Amino acid sequence: MAATPIAVITGASSGIGAATARQLAAAGYRVVLTARRKDRIEALAAELTEAGHQATAYSLDVTDRAAVDEFATAFRSLAVLVNNAGGALGADPVATGDPADWRQMYETNVIGTLNVTQALLPALTESGDGTVVILSSTAGLSTYEGGGGYVAAKHGEHVLAETLRLEIVGTPVRVIEVAPGMVKTEEFATTRFRGDAEKAAKVYAGVDAPLSADDVADTITWAVTRPSHVNIDLLVVRPRAQASNSKVHRTL
């Protein structure tokens, strides 16, 4: 009897990461949930286990390379890695942006993705049919005012995905990049504006049906479950109300 394929999801404590864990578990994967907030991923693992799925929680900071390397020793073979950990801080113009925010965004979105991908690539290759998913953003494809630091980090993550795909072609590992546009989750905008709920709400004000975490998770799960010879290099997904990073239809 074939072993249940394993999928590691980073940033699985909320939002897109948690939704992806639920959908991959339902698709038949044993999911390994990682995030810094241990209580959140343990609660999600318990929820999934109660529903009859296989789930394990592992507290992990993707920017801590020693911790990532230790985590990777648990896997000889791995089917899927979803690099979801990341996020945005601030919306200041380049002229006044805080370099500490830029550094933190780069460390989480780019170096964190690099750390986990490097550490788990041998196990993904060993599986004979591995998939690396990099959750970037439409911010990695075009710029917008007030987003310089986040845009720079997501451009770095986009280039990481493109370069990795070139370098490992011919190995049994796919590299899939999913780049969402406007997604309304419980934490993304609130974190960006340091807990200011009013500013966070304005991001989505008047927008008819922004994407949800489940929408993006559905996209990720669809891409991962394509036949092995099919690679979804880059999938951009936006709500119908958003034509670009700077062109959004609002009813207000």
Side-chain angles (χ1 to χ4, degrees):
M1 184 176 179
T4 302
I6 301 170
V8 170
I9 303 103
T10 69
S13 59
S14 66
I16 293 169
T20 300
R22 291 187 178 99
Q23 293 201 27
L24 286 178
Y29 288 88
R30 178 163 76 85
V31 293
V32 179
L33 320 172
T34 76
R36 289 175 297 177
R37 293 179 293 185
K38 186 178 180 182
D39 58 331
R40 290 284 194 97
I41 53 174
E42 286 182 341
L44 178 56
E47 171 199 317
L48 294 173
T49 301
E50 180 68 21
H53 304 304
Q54 299 181 57
T56 306
Y58 190 102
S59 179
L60 183 68
D61 179 350
V62 297
T63 67
D64 183 340
R65 184 54 188 259
V68 170
D69 286 341
E70 181 180 354
F71 168 69
T73 63
F75 304 95
R76 187 185 67 80
S77 179
L78 179 66
V80 177
L81 165 61
V82 179
N83 284 295
N84 168 72
L89 288 173
D92 300 315
V94 172
T96 57
D98 186 342
D101 286 347
W102 282 55
R103 187 173 295 108
Q104 185 173 338
M105 285 187 282
Y106 192 85
E107 285 286 337
T108 306
N109 291 281
V110 184
I111 303 302
T113 296
L114 177 67
N115 284 341
V116 180
T117 302
Q118 285 183 337
L120 292 176
L121 193 56
L124 288 156
T125 305
E126 179 65 26
S127 74
D129 187 17
T131 300
V132 176
V133 177
I134 293 178
L135 191 74
S136 61
S137 167
T138 54
L141 307 175
S142 62
T143 61
Y144 61 91
E145 293 170 290
Y150 183 62
V151 167
K154 285 301 183 181
H155 269 71
E157 201 170 15
H158 168 65
V159 169
L160 189 161
E162 281 198 337
T163 307
L164 177 63
R165 190 179 302 114
L166 292 172
E167 292 172 344
I168 66 171
V169 66
T171 73
V173 179
R174 302 182 291 184
V175 180
I176 294 170
E177 180 183 357
V178 176
M182 180 179 283
V183 185
K184 186 176 183 179
T185 64
E186 65 268 32
E187 293 187 334
F188 180 84
T190 304
T191 299
R192 182 171 205 165
F193 294 110
R194 307 180 200 285
D196 189 325
E198 185 176 347
K199 281 188 177 180
K202 286 181 180 178
V203 173
Y204 311 104
V207 178
D208 181 26
L211 296 178
S212 69
D214 283 332
D215 292 329
V216 181
D218 182 58
T219 300
I220 293 169
T221 302
W222 175 83
V224 166
T225 55
R226 294 312 84 208
S228 298
H229 70 286
V230 177
N231 195 93
I232 308 301
D233 283 16
L234 171 63
L235 199 161
V236 175
V237 53
R238 290 188 174 102
R240 186 171 62 184
Q242 183 184 28
S244 73
N245 289 342
S246 57
K247 182 67 174 180
V248 180
H249 176 71
R250 299 179 189 271
T251 58
L252 298 179

